[in-house]
Amino acid sequence: MRPFLSAAAAAFLSFFAAPALAHDGLAVRDGYVRAAGAMAMSAAAFMVIENHRAFDDRLVAAASDVARRVELHTHTQDAQGVMRMVEVPEGFVIPAGGEYALARGGDHVMLMGLVRPLTEGELVTITLTFEQSGELVVQLPVADGPMGGAAAADHGHGHGHGHGHGQGHGHGHGQGHGHGK
Ligand SMILES: [Cu+2]
């Protein structure tokens, strides 16, 4: 009986020790929130989710204080060739040791019923819930594209929002980074 207990204890410890190590869990990069306009009632969040673990995980839910309801969506093309957004209740699988991209025209986190207008450059806090790893809180900037990438620079908005703090690459470990924006 004793060897069995030891093995179980070791497995237990290694499993729960993992989240404390940077890059040994889930991480989010190149994330941003795209609002359709100042009067928009909804917005979509895009990001790349990295899974540094040895087992698959699944994004099953999301929440944000700026939206009354948050759903996991994808786009599908109907018989008329029109792109429609549909909810994906089963969520998105993030493969072990791999990554999964939520990108324009595909899967996204839908922020529905915005409680206030979103301003370009502001950070939106989104809580992602994973089947295995639990909650991951990320702060994503409101932008037209991934921050710090060529897409963002090409637009040449020049608003001076100070995009250079690398938030777009902020891996979202732990609670909310404290960038103070
Ligand atoms: Cu959507």
Side-chain angles (χ1 to χ4, degrees), residues 73 85 108 110:
H73 276 192
M85 293 196 302
H108 55 277
M110 197 77 195

Side-chain angles (χ1 to χ4, degrees), residues 70-93:
V70 182
E71 294 180 354
L72 304 178
H73 276 192
T74 193
H75 282 93
T76 57
Q77 206 166 25
D78 69 13
Q80 283 73 44
V82 178
M83 294 297 280
R84 297 184 186 284
M85 293 196 302
V86 292
E87 189 177 3
V88 185
E90 71 272 22
F92 310 125
V93 172

Side-chain angles (χ1 to χ4, degrees), residues 1-14:
M1 201 59 196
R2 205 178 157 79
F4 169 78
L5 283 175
S6 304
F12 182 91
L13 285 174
S14 63

Side-chain angles (χ1 to χ4, degrees), residues 55-136:
F55 47 88
D56 293 351
D57 210 336
R58 184 190 295 267
L59 176 62
V60 291
S64 175
D65 56 358
V66 303
R68 292 189 184 87
R69 180 169 173 77
V70 182
E71 294 180 354
L72 304 178
H73 276 192
T74 193
H75 282 93
T76 57
Q77 206 166 25
D78 69 13
Q80 283 73 44
V82 178
M83 294 297 280
R84 297 184 186 284
M85 293 196 302
V86 292
E87 189 177 3
V88 185
E90 71 272 22
F92 310 125
V93 172
I94 321 298
E99 61 184 38
Y100 191 83
L102 308 186
R104 205 87 64 88
D107 300 334
H108 55 277
V109 173
M110 197 77 195
L111 308 178
M112 309 173 78
L114 297 179
V115 300
R116 59 179 175 77
L118 300 181
T119 310
E120 186 180 341
E122 79 165 287
L123 295 178
V124 173
T125 301
I126 299 176
T127 302
L128 304 171
T129 302
F130 295 89
E131 199 170 60
Q132 305 291 336
S133 306
E135 292 186 350
L136 176 66

